[in-house]
């Protein structure tokens, strides 16, 4: 059960990181040239991170293998 949860969480993390990587350049630009990150980008990223945390908690709360296998990430 724990291995299934870990695999599902790793899939979730990979998907989240793919979405975040699309906007990473804003933060690099902020660090290198002190150019502000647009508020909608910050909001989008915060929502993605919040969604990740919620889904991770939901996965960890599952109590059976079928629940983990059938849990939808999207």
């Amino acid at each position: 059960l724990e291995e299934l949860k870990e695999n599902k969480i790793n899939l979730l993390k990979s998907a989240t990181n793919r979405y975040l990587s699309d906007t990473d350049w804003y933060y690099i630009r902020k660090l290198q040239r002190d150019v502000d990150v647009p508020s909608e980008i910050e909001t989008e990223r915060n929502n993605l991170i919040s969604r990740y945390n919620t889904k991770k908690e939901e996965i960890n709360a599952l109590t059976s293998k079928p629940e983990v296998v059938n849990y939808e990430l999207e």
Side-chain angles (χ1 to χ4, degrees), residues 9-62:
I9 289 169
N10 285 337
L11 289 172
L12 175 63
K13 184 184 286 189
S14 291
T16 301
N17 286 338
R18 276 193 307 276
Y19 290 121
L20 290 173
S21 70
D22 290 342
T23 56
D24 282 348
W25 68 273
Y26 285 104
Y27 290 88
I28 294 167
R29 185 176 70 166
K30 173 69 175 166
L31 289 171
Q32 289 180 339
R33 295 185 286 149
D34 199 29
V35 177
D36 289 338
V37 176
S39 62
E40 63 270 11
I41 297 300
E42 288 184 0
T43 299
E44 180 183 341
R45 287 175 65 97
N46 288 337
N47 289 341
L48 284 168
I49 292 166
S50 177
R51 180 181 169 275
Y52 168 81
N53 291 331
T54 299
K55 294 272 189 188
K56 183 178 176 183
E57 288 176 14
E58 290 173 356
I59 293 167
N60 281 322
L62 299 174

